[in-house]
Amino acid sequence: MAATGGGEIIGIDVGGTFTDLVLIDPKTGGVRLAKTPTTPENQAFGVMRVLAEAGVDLAGADLIVHGTTTTTNAVLERKLSRTGMITTRGFRDILELGRRTRPQPYGMKGQFRPLIPRDLRLEADERMDAEGEVVTPLDEASVRAAANRLLAAGCEAIVIHFLHSYANPAHERRAGAIVRDIWPTDFVTMGHALLAESREYERGVTAAVNASVQPLLERYIRRLTDELAANGYRGEVLVMNGNGGMASARRVSREAAKTVMSGPASGVIAAAATGRRAGQPNLITYDMGGTSTDVALIRNAEPAVSSEIEVEYALPIHVPMVDVRTVGAGGGSIASVNAAGLLEVGPESAGADPGPICYGRGGARPTIADANLLLGRLDPAKLKAVEGGVALETVRAIFAETLGAPLGLDAVAAAAAVIRIGNAKMAGAIRMVSISLGADPRDFALFAFGGAGPMHASALARELGVPTVLVPARPGLANALGCALADLRHDFVNTLNQPLDRLDDATVAAVFAQQIAEGEALLDQERVTLARRRHIYSVDMQFVGQSHILRVPLDDPNPTRADLERRFKAVYKTRFRIELDEIRAKLVNVNASIIGERPPLDLSRLIDAEHRAADLAGAETGRRPVYFDGAWIETPVYWRDRLPAEFQIDGPAIVEQMDATILIEPGDRAESDGQGNILVTVGAAS
């Protein structure tokens, strides 16, 4: 197919509150930025609005890459298409049996609702064993009867999920052909086609998620592409997947489950690309938004990818996704004193409406954003620009009454306590993606983005021993930038589930060869210019008798058994600091990622050099008192777009820009890295 040319590349990310746009013209180096409120009733309206706000000539645009929360929100809010399932007789309740887990580790209560209700889960006569041998032949009449019943029940999508189809998909394929003759739409999901791995529960839930969101994503993408075409756009539309890659809008709904978590993934992709260009390939990403904080780990400019993401309790989606961990601490997280007299921050959030008190939209409960305002980190003078015109004294009075009085603190001390508690929760999330996985935070830089991330990053870095904080040029637009930078990517997983001593080297090589051929064929179908192609290989392994698996990276697709065993033991020792030489190893899954890399884009133009001042004095906009460690310190404030190309700032200081506020704590030093980023060295100015 014809590839796209060298015209404008547009990244658009739809978040819960705002829809962001980053436009880059590779020919001229020109950059345009825009931000507009998200339109939850139809995200396409917000996309078209942000394009208009940026003044984009769609006829001249070459490529639009879109990150959407359509599928994520649908799953979390359970606003799903009516979906039915046909499964192996006797396994109708597979989606409810699940695993022996609880919503809370020490709780005895909890709720769970399967994505597909029991009356829409029907059975067919068939059975494969774990080796892929037929135990009970497929009864085609029972498949037809079940499909007709589900169609009569008003189902829009359907899942075919048979036992052990990963080992032998023949029954699922035949059942799929039967159902397609009956079903009026293309929304037919076969479990093995989406996920060819063992674990019937996880594979069934993943297939159920895919089918339930397929119609929603298909309709949304069709509306968006039609609207773009009506306004003159003739280029390709690509959609971000949760693995950090992209898929064509023409095919994305076939594997709709892969778009869940695409929003967080795009930010991690922006971090990896920025870090690679800045000489910081090892990063811990820290994205603090209004409701939550997302963190992830990047080694050698390659984001960690996991196939075991659980978006909520008992809802695992086993397709490769960027391994992002989330905690309920964001700018809008509400602070309160519980019945035991202890201060709590989050997970409840004020959201965008009414939002924090300082939004002036009726919010009356203290949040992290309000605490930052009281401590001088955010500009109190700009409150009057916010709808409602809430006074600083109003915020102070609410803190004093709701938090200070029960805790025996004044309003400022209560605000400082809110920040410390919020920081502790976010530090815990960072430990989950680093220390708990055998990685030392001191070996990484902290990549701070999101609207609030750069305001808390230095404090977190100091607590965790991270030596450097990297703040990109546009931290509040990083997700949209990630869309513009993302590569094409196709991930494959196949289960072998064999002890190493019974495994033939040729078997592993054959699976990799099949995955490579399929991935390369998919790249050939895309209409996007690629700079080069590369492959990532890995296997999932465990010791015989264990239930959890470990990802083992490989250098090539032809590993020997000895090589697999050696690498697995090394990964196991890194993770658990122990060797188990006496236990047999088992290979569970074979994984390959086929990546089509797009030509690199110049990120140094994200901040317009024309507005730079000759020195720091020209970038300073004023001074204000800011609260640090029990004392108020008169602190200089700078506008980032006016900072000189080369600068050095010793904290305390504040750097403001249109999409974020950066806090440089006392004792830290901030410098330009020549790429448009700010590097903060913790303790360098002490």
Side-chain angles (χ1 to χ4, degrees), residues 476-493:
L477 299 170
N479 292 78
L481 178 62
C483 291
L485 297 174
D487 298 319
L488 293 170
R489 177 169 177 149
H490 299 283
D491 293 305
F492 302 90
V493 182

Side-chain angles (χ1 to χ4, degrees), residues 437-438 541-544 546-553 564-581 583-585:
L437 300 178
M541 298 184 67
Q542 62 186 189
F543 284 117
V544 173
Q546 291 186 322
S547 59
H548 294 284
I549 58 178
L550 288 177
R551 178 66 53 88
V552 180
L564 290 172
E565 185 164 17
R566 176 180 58 80
R567 288 174 177 269
F568 170 61
K569 288 182 176 179
V571 170
Y572 197 95
K573 186 177 181 179
T574 299
R575 175 72 181 274
F576 299 109
R577 308 299 183 189
I578 191 173
E579 296 180 354
L580 301 174
D581 292 328
I583 306 178
R584 297 162 66 203

Side-chain angles (χ1 to χ4, degrees), residues 276-361:
R276 188 184 303 115
R277 290 164 173 80
Q280 298 281 348
N282 298 320
L283 298 170
I284 296 172
T285 69
Y286 165 57
D287 176 11
M288 183 180 178
T291 301
S292 62
T293 293
D294 299 323
V295 298
L297 193 74
I298 298 174
R299 292 180 187 266
N300 299 318
E302 203 69 58
V305 175
S306 173
S307 297
E308 298 188 357
I309 301 296
E310 191 167 84
V311 296
E312 66 175 41
Y313 172 67
L315 201 63
I317 302 179
H318 275 220
V319 293
M321 296 185 189
V322 173
D323 192 2
V324 176
R325 309 295 175 93
T326 302
V327 293
S333 293
I334 293 172
S336 61
V337 179
N338 64 21
L342 301 175
L343 179 62
E344 291 184 339
V345 178
E348 186 181 2
S349 173
D353 190 10
I357 305 166
C358 58
Y359 277 22
R361 297 175 181 168

